[in-house]
PDB file of all heavy atoms in Angstrom:
ATOM      1  N   ALA X  73       3.356  -9.178  11.816  1.00  0.00           N
ATOM      2  CA  ALA X  73       3.021  -8.303  10.605  1.00  0.00           C
ATOM      3  C   ALA X  73       3.941  -8.524   9.510  1.00  0.00           C
ATOM      4  O   ALA X  73       3.497  -8.691   8.248  1.00  0.00           O
ATOM      5  CB  ALA X  73       3.071  -6.797  10.976  1.00  0.00           C
ATOM      6  N   ASP X  74       5.186  -8.680   9.723  1.00  0.00           N
ATOM      7  CA  ASP X  74       6.149  -8.853   8.557  1.00  0.00           C
ATOM      8  C   ASP X  74       7.364  -9.217   9.262  1.00  0.00           C
ATOM      9  O   ASP X  74       7.926  -8.672  10.064  1.00  0.00           O
ATOM     10  CB  ASP X  74       6.272  -7.537   7.842  1.00  0.00           C
ATOM     11  CG  ASP X  74       7.106  -7.679   6.521  1.00  0.00           C
ATOM     12  OD1 ASP X  74       8.338  -7.921   6.658  1.00  0.00           O
ATOM     13  OD2 ASP X  74       6.464  -7.592   5.414  1.00  0.00           O
ATOM     14  N   ARG X  75       8.056 -10.328   8.694  1.00  0.00           N
ATOM     15  CA  ARG X  75       9.421 -10.790   9.248  1.00  0.00           C
ATOM     16  C   ARG X  75      10.493  -9.675   9.162  1.00  0.00           C
ATOM     17  O   ARG X  75      11.445  -9.755  10.122  1.00  0.00           O
ATOM     18  CB  ARG X  75       9.874 -12.090   8.527  1.00  0.00           C
ATOM     19  CG  ARG X  75       8.871 -13.245   8.781  1.00  0.00           C
ATOM     20  CD  ARG X  75       9.457 -14.477   8.187  1.00  0.00           C
ATOM     21  NE  ARG X  75       8.462 -15.491   8.396  1.00  0.00           N
ATOM     22  CZ  ARG X  75       8.409 -16.252   9.576  1.00  0.00           C
ATOM     23  NH1 ARG X  75       9.291 -15.996  10.551  1.00  0.00           N
ATOM     24  NH2 ARG X  75       7.692 -17.251   9.586  1.00  0.00           N
ATOM     25  N   SER X  76      10.393  -8.716   8.346  1.00  0.00           N
ATOM     26  CA  SER X  76      11.419  -7.653   8.320  1.00  0.00           C
ATOM     27  C   SER X  76      10.920  -6.531   9.272  1.00  0.00           C
ATOM     28  O   SER X  76      11.891  -5.592   9.396  1.00  0.00           O
ATOM     29  CB  SER X  76      11.422  -7.175   6.880  1.00  0.00           C
ATOM     30  OG  SER X  76      10.258  -6.535   6.519  1.00  0.00           O
ATOM     31  N   GLY X  77       9.823  -6.585   9.751  1.00  0.00           N
ATOM     32  CA  GLY X  77       9.529  -5.543  10.807  1.00  0.00           C
ATOM     33  C   GLY X  77       8.792  -4.360  10.106  1.00  0.00           C
ATOM     34  O   GLY X  77       8.524  -3.342  10.683  1.00  0.00           O
ATOM     35  N   THR X  78       8.561  -4.509   8.827  1.00  0.00           N
ATOM     36  CA  THR X  78       7.855  -3.390   8.065  1.00  0.00           C
ATOM     37  C   THR X  78       6.372  -3.738   7.979  1.00  0.00           C
ATOM     38  O   THR X  78       5.999  -4.843   8.028  1.00  0.00           O
ATOM     39  CB  THR X  78       8.494  -3.199   6.719  1.00  0.00           C
ATOM     40  OG1 THR X  78       8.262  -4.434   5.981  1.00  0.00           O
ATOM     41  CG2 THR X  78       9.911  -2.931   6.735  1.00  0.00           C
ATOM     42  N   GLN X  79       5.584  -2.664   7.659  1.00  0.00           N
ATOM     43  CA  GLN X  79       4.107  -2.802   7.522  1.00  0.00           C
ATOM     44  C   GLN X  79       3.932  -3.062   5.937  1.00  0.00           C
ATOM     45  O   GLN X  79       4.735  -2.674   5.126  1.00  0.00           O
ATOM     46  CB  GLN X  79       3.440  -1.524   8.003  1.00  0.00           C
ATOM     47  CG  GLN X  79       3.508  -1.267   9.398  1.00  0.00           C
ATOM     48  CD  GLN X  79       2.767  -2.396  10.158  1.00  0.00           C
ATOM     49  OE1 GLN X  79       1.755  -2.816   9.772  1.00  0.00           O
ATOM     50  NE2 GLN X  79       3.270  -2.805  11.339  1.00  0.00           N
ATOM     51  N   PRO X  80       2.779  -3.559   5.711  1.00  0.00           N
ATOM     52  CA  PRO X  80       2.389  -3.740   4.213  1.00  0.00           C
ATOM     53  C   PRO X  80       2.483  -2.295   3.481  1.00  0.00           C
ATOM     54  O   PRO X  80       1.971  -1.403   4.051  1.00  0.00           O
ATOM     55  CB  PRO X  80       1.099  -4.407   4.124  1.00  0.00           C
ATOM     56  CG  PRO X  80       0.871  -4.925   5.553  1.00  0.00           C
ATOM     57  CD  PRO X  80       1.780  -4.065   6.499  1.00  0.00           C
ATOM     58  N   PRO X  81       2.856  -2.274   2.196  1.00  0.00           N
ATOM     59  CA  PRO X  81       2.825  -1.008   1.474  1.00  0.00           C
ATOM     60  C   PRO X  81       1.425  -0.366   1.421  1.00  0.00           C
ATOM     61  O   PRO X  81       0.407  -1.057   1.191  1.00  0.00           O
ATOM     62  CB  PRO X  81       3.360  -1.448   0.057  1.00  0.00           C
ATOM     63  CG  PRO X  81       2.963  -2.879   0.008  1.00  0.00           C
ATOM     64  CD  PRO X  81       3.237  -3.410   1.335  1.00  0.00           C
ATOM     65  N   GLY X  82       1.469   0.870   1.678  1.00  0.00           N
ATOM     66  CA  GLY X  82       0.246   1.576   1.541  1.00  0.00           C
ATOM     67  C   GLY X  82      -0.783   1.528   2.730  1.00  0.00           C
ATOM     68  O   GLY X  82      -1.833   2.142   2.712  1.00  0.00           O
ATOM     69  N   ASP X  83      -0.347   0.827   3.783  1.00  0.00           N
ATOM     70  CA  ASP X  83      -1.238   0.600   4.927  1.00  0.00           C
ATOM     71  C   ASP X  83      -0.650   0.983   6.141  1.00  0.00           C
ATOM     72  O   ASP X  83      -0.875   0.585   7.282  1.00  0.00           O
ATOM     73  CB  ASP X  83      -1.700  -0.860   5.033  1.00  0.00           C
ATOM     74  CG  ASP X  83      -2.979  -0.953   5.814  1.00  0.00           C
ATOM     75  OD1 ASP X  83      -3.792  -0.086   5.826  1.00  0.00           O
ATOM     76  OD2 ASP X  83      -3.194  -2.142   6.348  1.00  0.00           O
ATOM     77  N   GLY X  84       0.444   1.722   6.192  1.00  0.00           N
ATOM     78  CA  GLY X  84       1.213   2.173   7.387  1.00  0.00           C
ATOM     79  C   GLY X  84       1.898   3.401   7.142  1.00  0.00           C
ATOM     80  O   GLY X  84       2.062   3.927   6.098  1.00  0.00           O
ATOM     81  N   PRO X  85       2.472   4.151   8.250  1.00  0.00           N
ATOM     82  CA  PRO X  85       3.264   5.275   8.190  1.00  0.00           C
ATOM     83  C   PRO X  85       4.517   5.121   7.288  1.00  0.00           C
ATOM     84  O   PRO X  85       5.092   4.135   7.387  1.00  0.00           O
ATOM     85  CB  PRO X  85       3.540   5.660   9.536  1.00  0.00           C
ATOM     86  CG  PRO X  85       3.401   4.373  10.348  1.00  0.00           C
ATOM     87  CD  PRO X  85       2.368   3.493   9.703  1.00  0.00           C
ATOM     88  N   GLY X  86       4.866   6.129   6.495  1.00  0.00           N
ATOM     89  CA  GLY X  86       6.034   6.089   5.627  1.00  0.00           C
ATOM     90  C   GLY X  86       5.843   5.252   4.396  1.00  0.00           C
ATOM     91  O   GLY X  86       6.707   5.063   3.616  1.00  0.00           O
ATOM     92  N   ARG X  87       4.625   4.791   4.084  1.00  0.00           N
ATOM     93  CA  ARG X  87       4.427   3.950   2.879  1.00  0.00           C
ATOM     94  C   ARG X  87       3.750   4.694   1.917  1.00  0.00           C
ATOM     95  O   ARG X  87       3.244   5.806   2.053  1.00  0.00           O
ATOM     96  CB  ARG X  87       3.550   2.611   3.188  1.00  0.00           C
ATOM     97  CG  ARG X  87       4.194   1.905   4.273  1.00  0.00           C
ATOM     98  CD  ARG X  87       5.532   1.227   3.917  1.00  0.00           C
ATOM     99  NE  ARG X  87       6.299   0.747   5.018  1.00  0.00           N
ATOM    100  CZ  ARG X  87       7.671   0.438   4.926  1.00  0.00           C
ATOM    101  NH1 ARG X  87       8.299   0.641   3.716  1.00  0.00           N
ATOM    102  NH2 ARG X  87       8.337   0.133   6.016  1.00  0.00           N
ATOM    103  N   THR X  88       3.896   4.156   0.666  1.00  0.00           N
ATOM    104  CA  THR X  88       3.215   4.907  -0.503  1.00  0.00           C
ATOM    105  C   THR X  88       1.697   4.984  -0.287  1.00  0.00           C
ATOM    106  O   THR X  88       1.031   4.014   0.080  1.00  0.00           O
ATOM    107  CB  THR X  88       3.343   4.075  -1.742  1.00  0.00           C
ATOM    108  OG1 THR X  88       4.710   3.880  -2.005  1.00  0.00           O
ATOM    109  CG2 THR X  88       2.736   4.858  -2.897  1.00  0.00           C
ATOM    110  N   PRO X  89       1.245   6.262  -0.276  1.00  0.00           N
ATOM    111  CA  PRO X  89      -0.121   6.448   0.141  1.00  0.00           C
ATOM    112  C   PRO X  89      -1.051   5.717  -0.879  1.00  0.00           C
ATOM    113  O   PRO X  89      -0.851   5.623  -2.132  1.00  0.00           O
ATOM    114  CB  PRO X  89      -0.433   7.986   0.117  1.00  0.00           C
ATOM    115  CG  PRO X  89       0.712   8.433  -0.700  1.00  0.00           C
ATOM    116  CD  PRO X  89       1.850   7.413  -0.610  1.00  0.00           C
ATOM    117  N   LEU X  90      -2.216   5.259  -0.366  1.00  0.00           N
ATOM    118  CA  LEU X  90      -3.264   4.597  -1.166  1.00  0.00           C
ATOM    119  C   LEU X  90      -4.060   5.785  -1.713  1.00  0.00           C
ATOM    120  O   LEU X  90      -4.531   6.732  -0.979  1.00  0.00           O
ATOM    121  CB  LEU X  90      -4.157   3.683  -0.220  1.00  0.00           C
ATOM    122  CG  LEU X  90      -5.055   2.696  -0.949  1.00  0.00           C
ATOM    123  CD1 LEU X  90      -4.219   1.710  -1.785  1.00  0.00           C
ATOM    124  CD2 LEU X  90      -5.844   2.019   0.045  1.00  0.00           C
ATOM    125  N   THR X  91      -4.385   5.837  -2.995  1.00  0.00           N
ATOM    126  CA  THR X  91      -5.100   6.813  -3.679  1.00  0.00           C
ATOM    127  C   THR X  91      -6.141   6.048  -4.603  1.00  0.00           C
ATOM    128  O   THR X  91      -6.019   4.791  -4.935  1.00  0.00           O
ATOM    129  CB  THR X  91      -4.288   7.695  -4.609  1.00  0.00           C
ATOM    130  OG1 THR X  91      -3.595   6.865  -5.550  1.00  0.00           O
ATOM    131  CG2 THR X  91      -3.144   8.378  -3.691  1.00  0.00           C
ATOM    132  N   ARG X  92      -7.154   6.779  -5.014  1.00  0.00           N
ATOM    133  CA  ARG X  92      -8.096   6.297  -5.977  1.00  0.00           C
ATOM    134  C   ARG X  92      -7.303   5.714  -7.199  1.00  0.00           C
ATOM    135  O   ARG X  92      -7.730   4.681  -7.796  1.00  0.00           O
ATOM    136  CB  ARG X  92      -9.075   7.310  -6.235  1.00  0.00           C
ATOM    137  CG  ARG X  92     -10.295   6.743  -7.196  1.00  0.00           C
ATOM    138  CD  ARG X  92     -11.354   7.763  -7.379  1.00  0.00           C
ATOM    139  NE  ARG X  92     -12.466   7.286  -8.121  1.00  0.00           N
ATOM    140  CZ  ARG X  92     -12.554   7.231  -9.466  1.00  0.00           C
ATOM    141  NH1 ARG X  92     -11.545   7.728 -10.206  1.00  0.00           N
ATOM    142  NH2 ARG X  92     -13.569   6.762  -9.980  1.00  0.00           N
ATOM    143  N   GLU X  93      -6.420   6.452  -7.673  1.00  0.00           N
ATOM    144  CA  GLU X  93      -5.682   6.125  -8.851  1.00  0.00           C
ATOM    145  C   GLU X  93      -4.896   4.883  -8.722  1.00  0.00           C
ATOM    146  O   GLU X  93      -4.933   3.955  -9.621  1.00  0.00           O
ATOM    147  CB  GLU X  93      -4.773   7.188  -9.287  1.00  0.00           C
ATOM    148  CG  GLU X  93      -5.386   8.522  -9.781  1.00  0.00           C
ATOM    149  CD  GLU X  93      -6.099   9.267  -8.715  1.00  0.00           C
ATOM    150  OE1 GLU X  93      -5.697   9.122  -7.530  1.00  0.00           O
ATOM    151  OE2 GLU X  93      -7.004   9.982  -9.049  1.00  0.00           O
ATOM    152  N   ARG X  94      -4.393   4.577  -7.513  1.00  0.00           N
ATOM    153  CA  ARG X  94      -3.618   3.398  -7.416  1.00  0.00           C
ATOM    154  C   ARG X  94      -4.560   2.243  -7.193  1.00  0.00           C
ATOM    155  O   ARG X  94      -4.284   1.130  -7.840  1.00  0.00           O
ATOM    156  CB  ARG X  94      -2.843   3.451  -6.011  1.00  0.00           C
ATOM    157  CG  ARG X  94      -1.489   4.091  -6.140  1.00  0.00           C
ATOM    158  CD  ARG X  94      -0.736   3.774  -4.735  1.00  0.00           C
ATOM    159  NE  ARG X  94      -0.361   2.514  -4.645  1.00  0.00           N
ATOM    160  CZ  ARG X  94      -0.178   1.836  -3.561  1.00  0.00           C
ATOM    161  NH1 ARG X  94      -0.314   2.482  -2.376  1.00  0.00           N
ATOM    162  NH2 ARG X  94       0.033   0.560  -3.523  1.00  0.00           N
ATOM    163  N   VAL X  95      -5.682   2.407  -6.644  1.00  0.00           N
ATOM    164  CA  VAL X  95      -6.745   1.298  -6.465  1.00  0.00           C
ATOM    165  C   VAL X  95      -7.144   0.985  -7.897  1.00  0.00           C
ATOM    166  O   VAL X  95      -7.292  -0.220  -8.183  1.00  0.00           O
ATOM    167  CB  VAL X  95      -7.976   1.904  -5.578  1.00  0.00           C
ATOM    168  CG1 VAL X  95      -9.064   0.735  -5.635  1.00  0.00           C
ATOM    169  CG2 VAL X  95      -7.462   2.017  -4.217  1.00  0.00           C
ATOM    170  N   LEU X  96      -7.580   1.952  -8.679  1.00  0.00           N
ATOM    171  CA  LEU X  96      -8.141   1.601 -10.022  1.00  0.00           C
ATOM    172  C   LEU X  96      -7.055   1.003 -10.881  1.00  0.00           C
ATOM    173  O   LEU X  96      -7.323   0.084 -11.769  1.00  0.00           O
ATOM    174  CB  LEU X  96      -8.697   2.780 -10.558  1.00  0.00           C
ATOM    175  CG  LEU X  96      -9.969   3.476  -9.942  1.00  0.00           C
ATOM    176  CD1 LEU X  96     -10.541   4.630 -10.598  1.00  0.00           C
ATOM    177  CD2 LEU X  96     -11.087   2.398  -9.906  1.00  0.00           C
ATOM    178  N   GLY X  97      -5.809   1.550 -10.805  1.00  0.00           N
ATOM    179  CA  GLY X  97      -4.713   0.954 -11.619  1.00  0.00           C
ATOM    180  C   GLY X  97      -4.522  -0.536 -11.311  1.00  0.00           C
ATOM    181  O   GLY X  97      -4.259  -1.365 -12.135  1.00  0.00           O
ATOM    182  N   CYS X  98      -4.481  -0.855 -10.038  1.00  0.00           N
ATOM    183  CA  CYS X  98      -4.420  -2.259  -9.618  1.00  0.00           C
ATOM    184  C   CYS X  98      -5.568  -3.092 -10.028  1.00  0.00           C
ATOM    185  O   CYS X  98      -5.456  -4.232 -10.402  1.00  0.00           O
ATOM    186  CB  CYS X  98      -4.218  -2.380  -8.074  1.00  0.00           C
ATOM    187  SG  CYS X  98      -3.815  -3.984  -7.475  1.00  0.00           S
ATOM    188  N   ALA X  99      -6.728  -2.441  -9.863  1.00  0.00           N
ATOM    189  CA  ALA X  99      -7.867  -3.357 -10.451  1.00  0.00           C
ATOM    190  C   ALA X  99      -7.776  -3.536 -11.873  1.00  0.00           C
ATOM    191  O   ALA X  99      -8.162  -4.638 -12.320  1.00  0.00           O
ATOM    192  CB  ALA X  99      -9.214  -2.470 -10.058  1.00  0.00           C
ATOM    193  N   LEU X 100      -7.477  -2.726 -12.666  1.00  0.00           N
ATOM    194  CA  LEU X 100      -7.275  -2.857 -14.094  1.00  0.00           C
ATOM    195  C   LEU X 100      -6.370  -3.896 -14.423  1.00  0.00           C
ATOM    196  O   LEU X 100      -6.519  -4.798 -15.253  1.00  0.00           O
ATOM    197  CB  LEU X 100      -6.817  -1.451 -14.779  1.00  0.00           C
ATOM    198  CG  LEU X 100      -6.760  -1.418 -16.236  1.00  0.00           C
ATOM    199  CD1 LEU X 100      -8.086  -1.597 -16.844  1.00  0.00           C
ATOM    200  CD2 LEU X 100      -5.957  -0.219 -16.722  1.00  0.00           C
TER     201      LEU X 100
END
């Protein structure tokens, strides 16, 4: 998953939660 042993941001426990605002901001 990751050489550091962490999960991708927004897709695992303890990560920045994925929100509609984040999705749209990234799309923009």
Side-chain angles (χ1 to χ4, degrees):
D74 189 291
R75 293 187 182 276
S76 65
T78 60
Q79 293 292 325
D83 202 29
R87 301 299 160 191
T88 304
L90 197 61
T91 63
R92 184 175 184 274
E93 289 69 27
R94 279 192 66 205
V95 171
L96 294 180
C98 186
L100 183 70

